[in-house]
């Protein structure tokens, strides 16, 4: 009874705020719709599904064939492998196809690769869906990939993403309306020392002019300016944006470049503590004599 | 794991299968091995001498429980609406190793269902990625259609976008799937496996005689699944054997029908129908009476019909569709002499005029198995995809002559210790059969296919009743070739007769279970039992007598074939000396003793090539025409009355047609 | 008492109390639920809405939570299968059980395309559900499992 009273009082107090009979929570008809899937189900951040779904620019009617120059390249790639293991060339050949096909592998491209390598289509399809750097839906001209692994995250990758997101108006896996940029997330690309970083795959110039550049030591402003330079057709500075050589002279901290104290480097100096690696030039130590008793 | 199985210890498993390669990706078979710091997957661990394996320790139990928990993370809880329920490996093993609650609170994944064609239904969310189906398709069936796309928790088993599974053995992935991801489409939501009556029987859709289990409920055959028989079908059956059962429910004959004066059929009593036959037979004598046996006729019916015909003074008997007059004196001449499992011992194979993929898909899987082990395969016949690579030698008797003269293939066959030659049913149906067979015989002799302890001369048949018909001599007698045009034709389940077999104006009796071409032509129709409804003897292409069992009751007024013939003989005042099934079988044993030895294969005697000489002298020196070799089967899914009546098979034909027009060809 | 009179008059559509009682209102008086609803629970509540079956939905926010919304069935006559909870349509059911707070009378519900019209439970009455194989079912399923061959038409 006491609890019932309490709840009634609570109710009364509520009423004093909201007024009688006014609903506390209103669900509109729009809110009752099916939720739009927020997370993509694909291996990479760009494709939505792992399986193919027909789109206007990627269906059975799409055509693809290597150019003559690329056929030379492909046959060179195939020649690296034994003749009866032609299928080994699938990853590099798919890469060529992706570069030629403006950044993504259409069904036609997969079919063509399967034909060139004498493989069943499904095996090519398996490879193309397994690896994250193969895209299977229409891409922007530049694929901007933000590193999202721990070191970059610690150094502010989220800030980079937000800056790009605000500037381009797209989230991960989306393409800007002018078809210029596709924003993507990548896992560690090995530039942790210069974290945070982004990578831009340039699909504007086909296979010959294809570039896959790292831009490191970024502040959010740097990221935006790189994108702007690309938009203007310039080529931004590749590599670290703030240091000349690989030295611990500074770091990005909370979105700002902070120079290290010059001359007073006190990390990674002096002899490290042991245990040390044995000297590989010396002959190996004699094996300890075994005990006579088993 | 194989060691544990041999010791009689059951190790839980999902991905491991004896006949497939080892994947080791389900991790359910973890065991503890002494001196190993971690539990090991027993399927991928070779057993070593002195190895101590513990399968029942707390560590093993805990490891398996952990694996089970992971497997169940993404497995939906839809056992009540799952067709696998009750025979599901995951269900069974979850009873042992599953927890009653999960610790997983995230979103479960959902996967798009794939379309694998009209036979296999997919609910891919249930898939646990054991990859048995993928391995089966690539290794056994030999079609590179299935694969795993994506990776990690997003991996999915499927085909290339919307390609279908194009194998004649695709139904076997249903049995292989340890969960309910791949289930039978025609069987979907029709019955639960525990309410089915299981009858062990034999398939009649091809001459292989695959061992099957007929699952029935009441008067209905609900599904057909394979039965293990290492010597015949291992554990696979073809799609036709598995899915043609719905043809047993359509177009059936259940009452005797007699054609009236107005040309229309009317229902009749048995006595009426038999008397009508008696009336029709008045004044017809000797070889004017003709009997044609069909593809699905059993040995009992054929012996009864033969005896009856002989009593009526007629030797005008023939087995339908083509080679009516194959010489059946020497059994090794028309059998698979190596045996179906024995073919695996061969080290070189030559196929002549055969497409085993259509004629016997399970047998084709065996040839593929040999090919995988490095046995060279040569083909004289139409150049089609046999799921394995072969050396194509041409497609005409001329090519055969060329091979015979001098060729690498001949050399290779000669060098081989155990060469095998497989003659397809298409060869036996040719009009110039004798000439072609002489060439084949010459090849057999020249390549030394038959040697001490090895007989590699094989004939592959395409109809379940053919070997039995040849065994009991259901063939035209010597004088039958000079027979006048038949006035009375008795069709024993025969629908694939040629127009010339039944002259205009002849009185036709059709005895069978399906209304088809034969029934449409008939004047009197006697309803008989289909192979699921009777106990009958069939002999497969290697000469193994096997018996079907009665799984479901016969529809309506129909009777077993031999009973009808015995009754007819009585009406015709020519009573047959047997009244029971056992008596019929005794009579069978008199004619062909090996038909009594059920499930045993009696190796035929090879007359040291004497037969070839006799054959050559009899056949004379006819020249072979240069017609191309053709398989006797054009449409795998529709070969006999049952499969022609089946809607599922019709859908298969349709799906195959649509596949050809698809854009995969590019 | 006044509210009871008003209630009986409202529910039975009669002008005078006597007519209402004659029309079956006396049953409402001996029925415990109706008595409770009308005499103890009902007075002073807001009528939120009425559905197509004539069920009336009341709300009083001063009531203890869980008892603050209730329904008075359109057909109170329990002998004639009245007071049938299955007459409450889905959208009212949601409001009644505090699944959401907006009554359908205020925000018209958006019905999904697969929605069926609300039907009361007809068990034991004419029009009740019959399984596909029930012998009472006039559109009985054909249980014949085999399809027989039909001879071709006379040539």
């Amino acid at each position: 009874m006491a609890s019932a009273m309490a709840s009634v009082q609570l109710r009364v107090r509520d009423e004093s705020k909201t007024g009688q009979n006014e609903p506390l929570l209103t669900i509109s008809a729009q809110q009752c719709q099916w939720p739009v899937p927020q997370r993509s189900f694909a291996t990479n951040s760009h494709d939505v599904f792992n399986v193919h779904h027909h789109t206007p620019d990627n269906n059975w009617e799409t055509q693809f064939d290597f150019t003559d120059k690329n056929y030379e390249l492909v046959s060179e790639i195939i020649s690296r492998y034994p003749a009866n293991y032609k299928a080994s060339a699938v990853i590099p050949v798919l890469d060529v196809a992706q570069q030629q096909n403006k950044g993504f592998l259409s069904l036609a491209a997969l079919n063509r690769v399967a034909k060139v390598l004498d493989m069943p289509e499904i095996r090519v399809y398996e490879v193309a869906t397994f690896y994250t750097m193969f895209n299977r839906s229409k891409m922007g001209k530049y694929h901007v990939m933000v590193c999202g692994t721990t070191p970059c995250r610690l150094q502010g990758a989220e800030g980079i993403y937000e800056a790009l997101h605000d500037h381009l108006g797209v989230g991960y896996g989306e393409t800007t309306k002018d078809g210029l940029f596709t924003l993507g997330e990548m896992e560690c690309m090995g530039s942790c020392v210069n974290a945070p970083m982004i990578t831009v795959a340039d699909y504007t110039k086909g296979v010959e002019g294809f570039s896959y550049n790292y831009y490191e030591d970024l502040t959010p402003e740097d990221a935006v300016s790189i994108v702007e330079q690309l938009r203007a057709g310039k080529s931004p500075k590749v590599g670290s944006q703030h240091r000349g050589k690989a030295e611990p002279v500074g770091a990005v901290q909370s979105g700002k470049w902070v120079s290290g104290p010059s001359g007073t480097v006190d990390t990674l100096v002096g002899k490290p503590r042991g245990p040390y690696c044995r000297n590989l030039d010396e002959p190996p130590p004699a094996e300890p004599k075994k005990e006579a008793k088993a | 794991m194989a060691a544990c199985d041999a010791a009689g210890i059951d190790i839980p498993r999902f991905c491991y299968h004896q006949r497939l390669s080892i994947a080791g990706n389900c991790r359910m078979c973890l065991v503890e091995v002494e001196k190993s710091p971690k539990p090991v997957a027993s399927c991928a661990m070779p057993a070593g001498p002195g190895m101590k394996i513990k399968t029942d320790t707390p560590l093993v139990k805990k490891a398996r429980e952990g694996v089970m928990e992971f497997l169940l993370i993404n497995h939906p809880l839809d056992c009540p609406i799952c067709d696998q329920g009750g025979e599901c490996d995951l269900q069974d093993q979850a009873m042992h190793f599953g927890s009653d609650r999960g610790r997983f609170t995230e979103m479960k994944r959902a996967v798009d269902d794939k379309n694998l064609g009209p036979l296999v239904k997919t609910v891919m969310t249930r898939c646990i990625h054991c990859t048995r189906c993928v391995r089966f398709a690539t290794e056994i069936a030999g079609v590179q259609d299935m694969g795993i796309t994506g990776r990690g928790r997003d991996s999915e088993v499927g085909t290339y976008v919307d390609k279908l599974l194009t194998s004649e053995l695709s139904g076997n992935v249903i049995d292989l799937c340890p969960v309910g991801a791949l289930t039978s489409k025609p069987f979907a939501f029709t019955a639960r496996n525990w309410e089915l009556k299981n009858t062990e029987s034999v398939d009649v859709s091809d001459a292989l005689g695959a061992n099957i289990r007929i699952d029935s409920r009441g008067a209905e055959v609900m599904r057909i699944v394979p039965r293990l028989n290492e010597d015949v079908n291992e554990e696979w059956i073809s799609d036709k054997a598995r899915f043609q059962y719905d043809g047993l429910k359509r177009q059936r004959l259940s009452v005797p029908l007699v054609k009236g004066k107005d040309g229309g059929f009317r229902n009749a009593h048995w006595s009426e129908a038999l008397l009508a036959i008696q009336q029709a037979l008045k004044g017809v004598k000797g070889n004017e009476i003709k009997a044609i046996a069909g593809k699905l006729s059993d040995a009992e019916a054929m012996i009864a019909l033969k005896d009856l015909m002989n009593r009526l003074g007629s030797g005008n008997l023939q087995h339908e569709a083509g080679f009516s007059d194959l010489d059946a004196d020497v059994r090794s001449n028309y059998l698979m002499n190596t045996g179906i499992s024995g073919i695996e011992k061969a080290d070189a194979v030559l196929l002549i005029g055969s497409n085993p993929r259509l004629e016997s898909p399970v047998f084709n899987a065996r040839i593929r198995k040999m090919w995988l082990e490095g046995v060279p395969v040569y083909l004289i016949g139409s150049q089609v995809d046999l799921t394995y690579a072969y050396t194509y030698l041409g497609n005409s008797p001329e090519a055969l002559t060329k091979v015979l003269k001098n060729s690498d293939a001949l050399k290779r066959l000669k060098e081989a210790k155990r060469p095998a030659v497989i003659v397809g049913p298409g060869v036996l149906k040719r009009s110039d059969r004798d000439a072609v067979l002489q060439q084949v015989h010459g090849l057999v002799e020249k390549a030394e296919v038959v040697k001490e302890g090895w007989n590699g001369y094989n004939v592959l048949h395409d109809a379940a009743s053919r070997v039995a018909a040849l065994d009991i001599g259901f063939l035209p007698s010597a004088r039958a070739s000079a027979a006048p045009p038949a006035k009375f034709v008795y069709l024993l389940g025969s629908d694939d007769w040629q127009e010339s077999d039944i002259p205009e104006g002849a009185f036709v009796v059709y005895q069978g279970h399906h209304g088809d071409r034969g029934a449409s032509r008939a004047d009197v129709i006697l309803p008989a039992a289909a192979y699921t409804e009777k106990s009958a003897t069939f002999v497969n292409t290697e000469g193994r007598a096997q018996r079907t069992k009665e799984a479901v009751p016969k529809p309506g007024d129909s009777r077993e074939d031999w009973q009808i013939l015995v009754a007819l003989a009585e009406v015709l005042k020519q009573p047959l000396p047997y009244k029971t099934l056992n008596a019929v079988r005794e009579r069978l044993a008199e004619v062909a003793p090996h038909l009594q030895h059920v499930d045993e294969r009696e190796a035929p005697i090879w007359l040291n090539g004497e037969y070839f000489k006799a054959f050559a002298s009899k056949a004379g020196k006819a020249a072979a025409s240069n017609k191309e070799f053709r398989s006797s089967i054009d449409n795998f899914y529709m070969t006999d009355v049952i499969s022609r009546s089946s809607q599922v098979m019709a859908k298969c034909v349709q799906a195959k047609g649509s596949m050809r027009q698809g854009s995969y060809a590019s | 008492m006044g509210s009871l009179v008003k209630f009986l008059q409202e529910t039975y559509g009669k002008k005078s109390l006597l007519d209402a009682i004659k029309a079956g209102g006396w049953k409402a008086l001996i029925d415990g639920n109706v008595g409770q609803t009308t005499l103890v629970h009902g007075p002073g509540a807001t009528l939120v809405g009425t559905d197509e079956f004539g069920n009336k939905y009341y709300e009083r926010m001063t009531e203890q939570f869980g008892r603050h919304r209730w329904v008075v069935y359109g057909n109170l006559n329990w002998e004639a299968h009245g007071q049938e909870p299955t007459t409450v349509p889905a959208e009212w059911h949601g409001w009644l059980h505090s699944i959401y707070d907006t009554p359908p009378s205020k925000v018209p519900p958006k019905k999904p395309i697969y929605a069926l019209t609300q039907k009361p439970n007809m068990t034991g009455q004419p029009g009740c559900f019959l399984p596909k194989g029930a012998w009472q079912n006039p559109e009985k399923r054909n249980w014949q499992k085999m399809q027989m061959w039909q001879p071709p038409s006379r040539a």
Side-chain angles (χ1 to χ4, degrees):
Chain A
M1 195 62 201
S3 67
M5 283 304 289
S7 83
V8 168
Q9 277 172 0
L10 191 74
R11 213 59 221 186
V12 169
R13 237 194 353 261
D14 278 349
E15 277 157 26
S16 65
K17 280 183 203 159
T18 59
Q20 202 178 2
N21 289 337
E22 193 171 311
L24 296 172
L25 170 76
T26 311
I27 299 178
S28 69
Q30 281 81 19
Q31 279 170 309
C32 297
Q33 301 285 325
W34 283 103
V36 181
Q38 292 298 306
R39 187 201 174 283
S40 79
F41 294 102
T43 312
N44 62 15
S45 61
H46 169 59
D47 298 311
V48 179
F49 294 106
N50 264 326
V51 286
H52 171 83
H53 288 251
H54 288 312
T55 53
D57 41 30
N58 186 7
N59 52 47
W60 287 124
E61 269 67 52
T62 340
Q63 297 295 323
F64 176 85
D65 201 353
F66 289 114
T67 57
D68 290 343
K69 212 169 175 190
N70 288 342
Y71 261 120
E72 279 169 31
L73 187 59
V74 166
S75 55
E76 191 273 318
I77 290 168
I78 294 171
S79 69
R80 295 178 205 162
Y81 302 95
N84 52 343
Y85 287 98
K86 252 168 122 179
S88 310
V90 64
I91 292 177
V93 173
L94 276 175
D95 192 28
V96 172
Q98 170 160 313
Q99 289 165 24
Q100 188 192 319
N101 197 37
K102 300 196 175 81
F104 76 105
L105 293 166
S106 61
L107 283 181
L110 296 177
N111 282 341
R112 181 60 59 186
V113 171
K115 209 169 180 190
V116 166
L117 298 178
D118 288 337
M119 286 170 80
E121 290 98 340
I122 178 72
R123 301 281 163 258
V124 181
Y125 188 50
E126 280 179 334
V127 172
T129 51
F130 186 89
Y131 291 101
T132 56
M133 284 154 111
F134 293 130
N135 311 309
R136 283 169 299 103
S137 28
K138 179 105 177 108
M139 301 292 293
K141 287 178 179 164
Y142 296 96
H143 192 190
V144 181
M145 289 163 276
V146 182
C147 176
T149 311
T150 321
C152 282
R153 258 266 157 143
L154 289 172
Q155 294 292 90
E158 278 162 324
I160 306 288
Y161 165 68
E162 261 153 42
L164 290 173
H165 173 71
D166 293 344
H167 184 70
L168 300 174
V170 290
Y172 282 145
E174 290 167 8
T175 308
T176 50
K177 272 184 192 147
D178 54 2
L180 215 51
F181 296 103
T182 300
L183 199 56
E185 191 183 18
M186 266 305 231
E187 295 310 319
C188 188
M189 289 181 272
S191 290
C192 310
V193 68
N194 293 348
M197 59 89 68
I198 62 171
T199 307
V200 177
D202 178 358
Y203 295 114
T204 47
K205 300 180 202 83
V207 181
E208 298 80 30
F210 175 72
S211 68
Y212 194 81
N213 287 330
Y214 282 16
Y215 301 94
E216 299 152 14
D217 276 334
L218 298 178
T219 61
E221 294 80 47
D222 291 336
V224 170
S225 96
I226 287 167
V227 170
E228 273 312 298
Q229 287 180 59
L230 287 172
R231 198 196 290 274
K234 292 179 218 159
S235 37
K237 184 192 174 196
V238 177
S240 173
Q241 304 295 308
H242 291 280
R243 62 180 108 199
K245 45 188 176 171
E247 269 181 1
V249 293
V252 172
Q253 277 174 18
S254 0
K256 295 235 158 47
W257 174 257
V258 182
S259 309
S262 59
T264 57
V265 176
D266 54 358
T267 52
L268 303 180
V269 291
K271 198 171 159 64
R273 279 186 293 160
Y276 303 108
C277 179
R278 70 189 162 85
N279 189 348
L280 297 170
D281 298 331
E282 279 176 11
E287 275 188 26
K289 276 179 190 167
K290 275 182 186 162
E291 296 286 319
K293 262 194 293 181
Chain B
M1 183 183 279
C4 289
D5 277 354
I9 294 162
D10 205 19
I11 309 257
R13 70 198 68 176
F14 291 116
C15 70
Y16 176 79
H17 195 273
Q18 298 93 309
R19 286 171 221 284
L20 304 174
S21 64
I22 290 164
N25 51 9
C26 75
R27 314 310 291 177
M28 198 59 207
C29 60
L30 292 173
V31 293
E32 196 181 344
V33 174
E34 213 161 71
K35 289 181 193 149
S36 161
K38 292 187 282 183
V40 295
S42 59
C43 64
M45 187 79 181
M51 196 185 216
K52 281 185 186 155
I53 304 167
K54 295 174 184 167
T55 61
D56 203 14
T57 58
L59 175 81
V60 170
K61 190 163 183 294
K62 201 174 170 204
R64 290 181 187 163
E65 278 172 1
V67 170
M68 180 55 78
E69 195 175 341
F70 279 127
L71 285 176
L72 292 180
I73 276 179
N74 274 323
H75 193 81
L77 255 180
D78 57 1
C79 301
I81 55 153
C82 175
D83 266 320
Q84 193 86 353
E87 51 182 358
C88 173
D89 287 0
L90 189 65
Q91 223 177 14
D92 295 350
Q93 289 173 31
M95 294 304 289
H96 283 278
F97 301 106
S99 167
D100 60 343
R101 65 206 68 206
R103 288 178 281 178
F104 184 72
T105 52
E106 321 284 311
M107 288 277 279
K108 286 198 174 208
R109 67 175 205 147
V111 182
D112 278 6
D113 290 346
K114 312 291 187 298
N115 181 12
L116 294 188
L119 300 176
V120 184
K121 182 187 158 196
T122 60
V123 184
M124 294 319 284
T125 308
R126 295 177 189 149
C127 178
I128 57 167
H129 306 295
C130 70
T131 68
R132 272 188 190 181
C133 50
V134 178
R135 282 176 285 147
F136 175 82
T138 8
E139 291 163 17
I140 309 282
V143 288
Q144 304 270 351
D145 281 346
M146 294 192 80
I148 289 213
T149 56
R151 67 156 130 174
R153 66 162 249 171
D154 300 319
S155 38
E156 299 176 14
V157 169
T159 54
Y160 182 47
V161 191
D162 48 5
K163 201 174 175 182
L164 310 179
L165 187 53
T166 54
S167 171
E168 284 78 20
L169 293 168
S170 65
N172 292 303
V173 297
I174 297 165
D175 293 334
L176 283 174
C177 187
V179 293
L182 306 176
T183 50
S184 166
K185 213 174 239 179
F187 177 64
F189 307 132
T190 53
R192 281 303 197 178
N193 66 316
W194 55 83
E195 58 186 14
L196 298 174
K197 188 184 83 174
N198 306 334
T199 316
E200 299 195 336
S201 187
V202 174
D203 173 51
V204 298
S205 68
D206 55 29
L208 189 80
N211 287 213
I212 54 169
R213 198 185 77 205
I214 299 168
D215 286 0
S216 56
R217 186 178 62 188
E220 258 180 308
V221 176
M222 300 309 291
R223 66 168 174 183
I224 289 174
V225 289
R227 188 152 62 89
L228 184 76
N229 190 337
E230 289 293 346
D231 289 333
V232 180
N233 57 326
E234 296 175 278
E235 56 190 88
W236 321 123
I237 54 173
S238 69
D239 283 355
K240 191 169 37 164
R242 187 186 296 263
F243 293 113
Q244 70 170 359
Y245 63 84
D246 79 316
L248 292 167
K249 290 180 228 163
R250 301 185 69 249
Q251 306 280 56
R252 287 305 297 268
L253 301 172
S254 63
V255 282
L257 297 168
V258 176
K259 204 175 237 177
K261 285 203 177 92
D262 55 350
F265 282 108
R266 62 184 167 81
N267 291 0
H269 293 296
W270 272 104
S271 52
E272 243 176 290
L274 296 180
L275 284 170
I277 297 172
Q278 190 199 20
Q279 287 295 321
L281 268 173
K282 266 183 192 161
V284 185
K285 54 184 183 293
N287 281 345
E288 287 173 349
I289 307 171
K290 188 177 192 176
I292 305 178
K295 282 177 178 169
L296 305 177
S297 308
D298 50 287
E300 285 88 349
M302 285 190 288
I303 192 77
L305 182 58
K306 189 187 175 199
D307 284 348
L308 174 62
M309 284 296 145
N310 290 348
R311 261 152 231 263
L312 292 172
S314 165
N316 198 351
L317 310 167
Q318 73 177 60
H319 192 265
E320 73 175 2
F323 58 106
S324 50
D325 50 346
L326 183 74
D327 198 340
D329 291 345
V330 181
R331 209 160 163 249
S332 54
N333 185 37
Y334 57 83
L335 284 188
M336 185 162 282
N337 289 311
T338 56
I340 290 165
S341 58
I343 191 91
E344 285 180 23
K345 294 194 199 106
D347 48 6
V349 178
L350 170 65
L351 300 167
I352 299 172
S354 176
N355 179 1
R357 188 174 176 185
L358 301 185
E359 284 146 14
S360 180
V362 180
F363 181 67
N364 195 44
R366 281 215 198 238
I367 304 181
R368 180 178 156 79
K369 194 156 88 181
M370 293 157 59
W371 172 77
L372 283 176
E373 284 163 13
V375 175
V377 181
Y378 299 95
L379 173 77
I380 301 174
S382 46
Q383 200 170 9
V384 287
D385 179 17
L386 289 179
T387 71
Y388 41 84
Y390 50 80
T391 316
Y392 178 63
L393 301 174
N395 187 16
S396 61
E398 203 174 79
L400 193 56
T401 329
K402 234 184 258 170
V403 171
L404 197 56
K405 268 181 195 151
N406 200 6
S407 68
D408 290 346
L410 185 69
K411 219 157 106 195
R412 193 66 201 270
L413 284 171
K414 224 171 185 174
E415 280 167 10
K417 277 184 189 150
R418 293 179 298 275
V421 170
I422 299 171
V423 180
V427 175
L428 303 179
K429 284 185 181 162
R430 290 168 68 95
S431 49
D432 57 343
R433 183 190 67 218
D434 288 349
V436 175
L437 275 184
Q438 272 185 57
Q439 285 191 354
V440 174
H441 292 167
L443 180 78
V444 165
E445 290 200 329
K446 210 165 178 189
E448 291 160 28
V449 170
V450 186
K451 350 183 140 173
E452 186 71 45
W454 174 256
N455 186 345
Y457 179 68
N458 291 327
V459 181
L460 180 64
H461 290 284
D462 61 348
S465 67
R466 183 148 297 142
V467 175
L470 294 167
D471 275 353
I472 61 173
F474 199 90
L475 296 161
S477 64
R479 272 176 297 156
S481 53
K487 288 188 182 154
F488 178 94
V489 181
Y490 198 97
L491 298 174
L492 183 65
S494 170
D495 291 277
D496 295 325
W497 34 267
Q498 277 148 7
E499 284 302 331
S500 58
D501 287 342
I502 302 178
E504 196 76 20
F507 188 85
V508 179
V509 177
Y510 180 80
Q511 173 185 337
H513 39 79
H514 276 78
D516 203 311
R517 188 160 160 248
S520 313
R521 173 67 184 81
D523 296 295
V524 174
I525 295 173
L526 306 174
Y531 74 105
T532 52
E533 293 148 9
K534 62 186 171 189
S535 171
T537 310
F538 288 91
V539 186
N540 75 358
T541 185
E542 59 166 349
R544 182 187 300 270
Q546 300 184 106
R547 271 188 196 149
T548 60
K549 290 201 185 101
E550 185 177 347
V552 287
K554 291 174 271 292
D557 257 358
S558 54
R559 297 284 183 274
E560 286 187 24
D561 289 291
W562 67 270
Q563 283 177 325
I564 299 171
L565 288 158
V566 167
L568 178 63
E570 269 173 31
V571 171
L572 297 177
K573 306 276 187 322
Q574 299 281 357
L576 297 174
Y578 29 76
K579 291 276 178 296
T580 62
L581 187 58
N582 279 341
V584 180
R585 287 187 176 151
E586 273 167 30
R587 165 75 184 138
L588 261 183
E590 268 173 41
V591 178
H594 58 274
L595 293 186
Q596 199 69 312
H597 306 155
V598 175
D599 289 343
E600 276 174 34
R601 176 171 178 268
E602 209 158 282
I605 306 160
W606 184 257
L607 296 174
N608 289 335
E610 290 303 317
Y611 172 72
F612 284 176
K613 284 175 204 158
F615 185 87
S617 66
K618 213 194 281 180
K621 278 252 187 284
S625 72
N626 216 12
K627 234 164 49 181
E628 290 197 334
F629 285 119
R630 272 183 69 228
S631 170
S632 60
I633 294 173
D634 295 326
N635 186 351
F636 168 73
Y637 295 107
M638 288 195 175
T639 50
D640 50 43
V641 271
I642 300 176
S643 48
R644 274 197 292 264
S645 310
S646 162
Q647 282 173 320
V648 177
M649 292 291 112
K651 275 183 206 158
C652 288
V653 175
Q654 217 176 6
K656 204 157 185 202
S658 71
M659 279 284 295
R660 285 202 188 121
Q661 293 153 14
S663 30
Y664 313 101
S666 67
Chain C
M1 194 63 194
S3 66
L4 174 66
V5 174
K6 196 179 156 212
F7 176 81
L8 283 172
Q9 284 168 349
E10 262 180 26
T11 39
Y12 287 90
K14 301 287 176 191
K15 284 270 163 62
S16 77
L17 176 63
L18 201 64
D19 284 350
I21 288 176
K22 265 184 191 164
W26 60 273
K27 282 176 192 161
L29 290 180
I30 25 177
D31 188 324
N33 280 330
V34 180
Q36 161 80 12
T37 321
T38 47
L39 295 173
V40 185
H41 210 68
T46 330
L47 178 65
V48 179
T50 315
D51 67 19
E52 67 263 33
F53 294 99
N55 299 332
K56 290 181 174 134
Y57 297 90
Y58 292 92
E59 183 179 49
R60 187 168 59 186
M61 293 308 267
T62 50
E63 198 47 80
Q64 175 195 343
F65 186 85
R67 302 188 61 177
H68 64 300
R69 287 173 189 168
W70 66 92
V71 56
V72 174
Y73 294 108
N75 180 4
L76 279 174
N77 194 346
W78 43 265
E79 272 186 352
H81 304 284
Q83 302 202 36
E84 181 56 59
T86 49
T87 54
V88 175
E91 60 270 16
W92 276 109
H93 177 273
W95 174 82
L96 203 58
H97 290 252
S98 303
I99 295 170
Y100 41 80
D101 275 350
T102 21
S105 53
K106 274 193 189 163
V107 179
K110 191 186 168 200
K111 284 217 172 188
I113 47 161
Y114 49 83
L116 303 171
T117 47
Q118 183 74 22
K119 242 172 77 182
N121 182 2
M122 301 300 282
T123 303
Q125 302 162 60
C128 67
F129 170 75
L130 293 169
K132 58 193 171 188
W135 62 269
Q136 303 101 316
N137 193 344
E139 290 163 8
K140 187 153 47 175
R141 178 174 165 180
N142 180 12
W143 287 104
Q144 187 159 13
K145 301 215 167 130
M146 245 172 223
Q147 183 222 332
M148 298 309 162
W149 181 64
Q150 295 304 319
S153 55
R154 290 158 199 202

